[in-house]
């Protein structure tokens, strides 16, 4: 049994650590180490999501006339995320924190389907908590996107 499961449970073979210059988040994606286009830390991404959530809560309070409704908050946050990333490549919170969503496979806009898939996965929160070696969450890996510094 160990021989059967060892091929997929043990993961890919790991190359010896060489201390090479491309040992930073985003190197495997061809992104720069620093500056525009580099991958930001988790703190910046979480704060951007919090700003987006607070915007959704504020709009929800105006719509629902002060009656708290978590469903309306979630729906507004979802719509803001999909529409803003589709049209501009960033949400309002990402704009304020100088980050944006990019495609890692091409120099093209993210597009509606990727933005929608990304936001659907973000609703569950858990995919955003599990990151790869580049710091991309599962929602970014699944949609072929990454969050990068814009300036």
């Amino acid at each position: 049994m160990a021989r059967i499961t060892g091929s997929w449970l043990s993961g890919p073979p790991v190359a010896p650590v060489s201390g090479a210059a491309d040992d930073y988040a985003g190197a495997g994606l061809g992104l720069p180490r620093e500056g525009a286009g580099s991958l930001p830390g988790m703190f910046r991404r979480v704060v951007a999501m919090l700003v987006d959530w607070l915007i959704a809560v504020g709009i929800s309070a105006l719509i629902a006339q002060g009656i708290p409704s978590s469903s309306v908050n979630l729906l507004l946050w979802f719509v803001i995320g999909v529409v803003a990333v589709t049209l501009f490549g960033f949400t309002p919170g990402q704009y304020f924190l100088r980050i944006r969503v990019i495609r890692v496979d091409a120099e093209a806009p993210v597009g509606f389907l990727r933005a929608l898939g990304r936001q659907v996965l973000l609703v569950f929160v858990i995919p955003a908590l599990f990151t790869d070696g580049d710091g991309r969450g599962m929602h970014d890996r699944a949609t072929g996107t990454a969050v990068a510094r814009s300036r």
Side-chain angles (χ1 to χ4, degrees), residues 46-112:
V46 169
V47 171
M49 193 180 315
L50 178 64
V51 169
D52 292 334
W53 182 258
L54 292 175
I55 290 170
V57 168
I59 295 171
S60 174
L62 293 173
I63 292 172
Q65 299 297 323
I67 300 169
S69 172
S70 59
S71 299
V72 175
N73 295 344
L74 184 62
L75 179 64
L76 283 171
W77 174 80
F78 184 87
V79 170
I80 288 170
V82 172
V83 171
V85 170
T86 300
L87 295 177
F88 309 113
F90 51 79
T91 64
Q94 290 171 341
Y95 176 78
F96 291 127
L97 290 165
R98 300 178 178 180
I99 58 178
R100 62 189 169 104
V101 180
I102 61 169
R103 285 180 55 175
V104 295
D105 60 346
E107 287 280 333
V110 175
F112 175 74

